[in-house]
């Protein structure tokens, strides 16, 4: 239906002029005065129309200029920030989103070990690694003086690119690195520049439900790890592996084929070696996770081929873990692991996956470990974490070749940790943690560690 347009003031004035009697002929003084007023009104209307057109043009020009300023300053029509006007992913799919983040972290710690000093350059000087706690022969008198280390090796950054096709397919590529690559004799060391190499943590691509590349093992529940000042804290009781894999996830279920590697211990000497490329069959992992306002619960399984040379056997393990929320200020985080051939997945490889006896036969080694941690927030800025962690390994003394040197095998390790973390500003954490750890060998020799660990961390 055609809408009737309202009469403009000028047209209305003309109609009044036409229908007014005696306007054209024989006008009286009063009529002439009225005609003059109508003409004046007509001129004013024309001026108003011209002013309106000029105002509309000015508004349009101003909007254009504002849009250009927004683009130049990194603001887009969708409200999302833009780094620059031209695409930053010059070789990527059009419309891809680029993101960047990470943190800078300073660690400073003083350590006192009962049975000697942890070797300089060892990972145990940078964070808590129970396998590096010194245990010396009976009757020895080791150096027991405390020592201090400062480093920023766990600072990290990541890059990611996300893309969604018109059909709804979701792609993601991510790479994350830290500086935990060790010092370089050619570039620098603790004497002068404290250079560390860049180390790849994650490097993967995902497509909808599929993932291919290096990331956390599907056997590991990262969400259950407590907040520690140390790099891990509950090292003994947690599964902890990053490796290459192909994973499929559907809702709460996930299954993956992961890089296989067998760590083997010689029964006669307890010496460790990595079989490396001997494995043929990938490690198979599966996980189920359920979540709610109460927290989350996860169960994971692991099936492995254990291989050394021509000898092979199999291993299987299970991991239960979760986080339970206790109100708004408290939660409990925990994990329990058990299985044969679980060695390199548990406690940073504290125990071996398998043992080679004197007859050249390979035997899967049983291991178990777990942790429990309580977190309490005093205020939104101040919180504390209390943690206990333990791992044990079953060294079979009935294997052929068991002898006096076999008793150097690790039987057990445990630790306590308590920390206080304060965030005076968002993304800035200042923390202090006290730790006690102990490593016990099969012959009951023990070595312990006491540490005060502080950190300053800023995330971006």
């Amino acid at each position: 239906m055609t809408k009737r347009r309202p009469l403009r003031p000028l047209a209305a004035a003309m109609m009044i002029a036409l229908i007014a009697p005696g306007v054209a002929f024989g006008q009286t003084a009063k009529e002439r005065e009225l005609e003059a007023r109508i003409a004046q009104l007509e001129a004013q209307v024309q001026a108003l129309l011209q002013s309106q057109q000029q105002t509309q043009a000015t508004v349009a020009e101003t909007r254009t200029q504002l849009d250009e300023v927004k683009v130049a300053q990194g603001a887009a029509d969708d409200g999302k920030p833009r780094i620059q006007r031209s695409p930053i992913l010059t070789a990527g799919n059009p419309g891809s989103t680029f993101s960047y983040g990470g943190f800078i972290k300073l660690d400073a710690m003083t350590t006192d070990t009962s049975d000697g000093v942890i070797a300089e350059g060892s990972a145990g000087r940078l964070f808590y690694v129970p396998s590096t706690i010194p245990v010396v022969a009976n009757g020895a008198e080791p150096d027991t003086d405390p020592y201090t280390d400062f480093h920023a090796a766990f600072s990290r950054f990541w890059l990611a690119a996300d893309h969604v096709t018109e059909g709804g397919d979701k792609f993601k590529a991510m790479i994350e690195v830290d500086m935990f690559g060790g010092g370089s004799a050619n570039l620098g060391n603790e004497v002068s520049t404290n250079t560390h190499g860049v180390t790849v943590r994650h490097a993967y691509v995902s497509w909808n439900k599929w993932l291919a590349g290096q990331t956390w093992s599907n056997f590991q529940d990262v969400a259950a790890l407590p907040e520690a000042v140390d790099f891990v804290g509950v090292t003994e009781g947690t599964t902890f592996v990053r490796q290459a894999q192909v994973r499929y996830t559907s809702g709460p279920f996930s299954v993956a084929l992961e890089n296989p590697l067998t760590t083997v211990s010689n029964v006669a000497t307890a010496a460790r070696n990595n079989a490396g490329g001997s494995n043929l069959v990938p490690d198979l992992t599966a996980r189920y996770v359920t979540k709610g306002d109460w927290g989350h619960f996860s169960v994971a399984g692991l099936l492995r081929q254990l291989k050394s040379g021509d000898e092979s056997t199999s291993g299987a393990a299970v991991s239960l873990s979760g986080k339970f929320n206790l109100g708004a200020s408290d939660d409990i985080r925990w994990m329990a692991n058990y299985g044969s051939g679980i060695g390199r997945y548990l406690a940073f490889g504290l125990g071996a996956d398998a043992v080679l006896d004197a007859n050249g036969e390979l035997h899967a080694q049983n291991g178990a470990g777990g942790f429990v941690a309580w977190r309490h927030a005093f205020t939104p800025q101040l919180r504390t974490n209390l943690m206990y962690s333990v791992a044990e390994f079953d060294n079979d003394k009935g294997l052929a070749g068991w002898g006096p040197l076999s008793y150097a095998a690790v039987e057990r390790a445990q630790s306590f940790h308590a920390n206080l973390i304060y965030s005076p500003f968002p993304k800035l954490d200042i923390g202090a943690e006290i730790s006690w750890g102990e490593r016990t060998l099969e012959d009951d020799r023990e070595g312990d560690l006491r540490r005060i660990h502080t950190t300053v961390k800023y995330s971006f």
Side-chain angles (χ1 to χ4, degrees), residues 347-408:
F348 280 97
L350 180 63
D353 294 326
V355 178
L356 195 65
D357 68 16
N359 298 324
E361 296 182 0
L362 195 65
H363 304 267
Q365 179 168 250
N366 293 333
F371 69 79
V372 62
W374 170 59
R375 180 182 185 273
H376 173 71
F378 298 101
T379 70
Q381 291 78 34
L382 183 65
R383 64 264 188 204
T384 186
N385 296 269
L386 303 179
M387 299 163 266
Y388 173 71
S389 179
V390 63
E392 292 188 357
F393 295 91
D394 182 13
N395 298 299
D396 189 353
K397 300 180 181 63
L399 295 179
W402 184 274
L405 296 179
S406 306
Y407 286 92

Side-chain angles (χ1 to χ4, degrees), residues 367-454:
F371 69 79
V372 62
W374 170 59
R375 180 182 185 273
H376 173 71
F378 298 101
T379 70
Q381 291 78 34
L382 183 65
R383 64 264 188 204
T384 186
N385 296 269
L386 303 179
M387 299 163 266
Y388 173 71
S389 179
V390 63
E392 292 188 357
F393 295 91
D394 182 13
N395 298 299
D396 189 353
K397 300 180 181 63
L399 295 179
W402 184 274
L405 296 179
S406 306
Y407 286 92
V410 175
E411 178 186 25
R412 175 186 174 92
Q414 61 180 336
S415 65
F416 291 94
H417 305 263
N419 64 42
L420 196 63
I421 301 173
Y422 177 59
S423 301
F425 301 98
K427 304 296 184 179
L428 176 63
D429 297 332
I430 301 172
E433 184 169 290
I434 56 174
S435 305
W436 172 87
E438 180 183 66
R439 183 167 72 104
T440 304
L441 306 185
E442 192 62 40
D443 60 5
D444 294 331
R445 281 182 292 156
E446 298 176 348
D448 63 59
L449 170 148
R450 295 167 297 279
R451 173 172 286 170
I452 299 176
H453 189 156
T454 61

